[in-house]
Amino acid sequence: MSNLTLYELSGCPYCAKVIDKLDELGLEYDSVSVPRAHSERTEVESISNQTGVPVLVDEANDVSGMPESDDIVTYLEKTYAN
């Protein structure tokens, strides 16, 4: 099990942006697919207080539910790029 978990939705361009960065950095992560209906996204809402995706959890660095693709990409670059 990885320290990184990405809550995402297939076909979401913002999620794809984060996935591309994770792959570029060679990071292993667990992917959690969320339902299409926002009203059914109770798990992602409980960790991030919103129903949008992507949302990143990084247990190793006490990140418990970071939303917004641009913020996630910046965080990954600062934290994991060499």
Side-chain angles (χ1 to χ4, degrees):
M1 183 173 182
S2 172
N3 285 329
L4 296 172
T5 302
L6 181 66
Y7 290 82
E8 50 112 353
L9 179 66
S10 178
C12 165
Y14 304 105
C15 299
K17 180 179 183 176
V18 173
I19 290 167
D20 288 347
K21 181 54 68 176
L22 287 162
D23 291 345
E24 176 188 317
L25 295 172
L27 297 171
E28 290 186 22
Y29 64 97
D30 295 321
S31 175
V32 178
S33 292
V34 300
R36 287 224 170 262
H38 282 261
S39 62
E40 297 176 12
R41 297 180 185 177
T42 54
E43 184 178 355
V44 75
E45 185 175 21
S46 71
I47 63 162
S48 67
N49 295 319
Q50 50 97 49
T51 59
V53 287
V55 169
L56 182 74
V57 174
D58 183 356
E59 293 177 9
N61 292 298
D62 293 324
V63 174
S64 60
M66 178 183 291
E68 302 299 331
S69 60
D70 288 339
D71 293 344
I72 295 170
V73 166
T74 299
Y75 168 78
L76 292 171
E77 288 172 344
K78 287 182 179 179
T79 307
Y80 291 103
N82 291 333

